[in-house]
Amino acid sequence: DVKVTQSSRYLVKRTGEKVFLECVQDMDHENMFWYRQDPGLGLRLIYFSYDVKMKEKGDIPEGYSVSREKKERFSLILESASTNQTSMYLCASSIGQGRRPYEQYFGPGTRLTVT
Amino acid sequence: GIQVEQSPPDLILQEGANSTLRCNFSDSVNNLQWFHQNPWGQLINLFYIPSGTKQNGRLSATTVATERYSLLYISSSQTTDSGVYFCAVEPRRYGNNRLAFGKGNQVVVIP
């Protein structure tokens, strides 16, 4: 079974703090994704990575950065947390282009509150 | 970008009832997935279904890619079916399994 884990289930940070959210997958997947989920807005893609050290902006990258130094690990960084970044953050992974089945698998999520 | 619309947004079911959730999308896609988000927030894969029909227990799904819609059927609903159901598509122009999500169908099954 695919396993995607996230470093924290709940996190409370103060405005202006630097925040790291970690995601690890154990299936040797090439692709990894970070989403945020807000009520009434569904899931929105922040960043994704299709290979080590590669990254692509998603739909809402402002205020975020990412790091992928190893294939199994994808980090989301909030350089200076703000209250409008209070949200549920979800990490996902999938196999690479041209392979099947092309399913995304999700971690349990991190509920981040910025006060 | 691509529009993904799910209907109905909210649904209340009596336990044992059947229901159909619909996902319409506005452009050609490579890939379509259905997910169930449980009350603890975990998204669980239900179907990877870019076209055709699949069944898994009481759930089944049909995607008609040429007409740009997919249907998720829940039969003999149980309280454990409660949660939010998401449809997500990979637009043909994206690649790399980049998905666009609908806003979800909130389903409540009452005993």
Side-chain angles (χ1 to χ4, degrees), chain A residues 27-84:
Chain A
M27 282 302 291
D28 201 35
H29 282 172
E30 287 81 8
N31 298 337
M32 296 188 76
F33 307 83
W34 275 107
Y35 297 88
R36 66 177 281 176
Q37 183 179 14
D38 301 287
L41 297 178
L43 277 77
R44 294 179 291 167
L45 181 65
I46 305 171
Y47 267 97
F48 66 103
S49 168
Y50 54 88
D51 203 349
V52 176
K53 298 193 187 294
M54 305 300 288
K55 61 184 179 185
E56 295 268 354
K57 291 180 180 179
D59 300 314
I60 51 164
E62 297 78 18
Y64 303 94
S65 63
V66 290
S67 172
R68 192 164 180 203
E69 297 296 319
K70 293 186 177 182
K71 191 175 184 180
E72 67 271 17
R73 188 178 298 269
F74 192 34
S75 302
L76 180 69
I77 303 155
L78 288 66
E79 293 289 343
S80 178
S82 63
T83 55
N84 63 13

Side-chain angles (χ1 to χ4, degrees), chain A residues 9 31 33 35 37 40 43 45 48 50 57-59 94 97 100 102-108, chain B residues 30-31 33 35 37 40-43 45 47-48 86 90 94-99 101-103:
Chain A
R9 196 79 176 88
N31 298 337
F33 307 83
Y35 297 88
Q37 183 179 14
L43 277 77
L45 181 65
F48 66 103
Y50 54 88
K57 291 180 180 179
D59 300 314
S94 75
Q97 184 80 13
R100 292 288 184 267
Y102 217 15
E103 298 176 82
Q104 284 194 22
Y105 294 88
F106 280 80
Chain B
N30 295 323
N31 175 15
Q33 284 187 253
F35 298 90
Q37 187 170 40
W40 297 272
Q42 175 77 57
L43 268 85
N45 293 31
F47 294 102
Y48 166 77
F86 287 103
E90 177 192 342
Y94 274 177
N96 277 319
N97 201 16
R98 175 177 173 174
L99 296 177
F101 281 75
K103 289 188 169 55

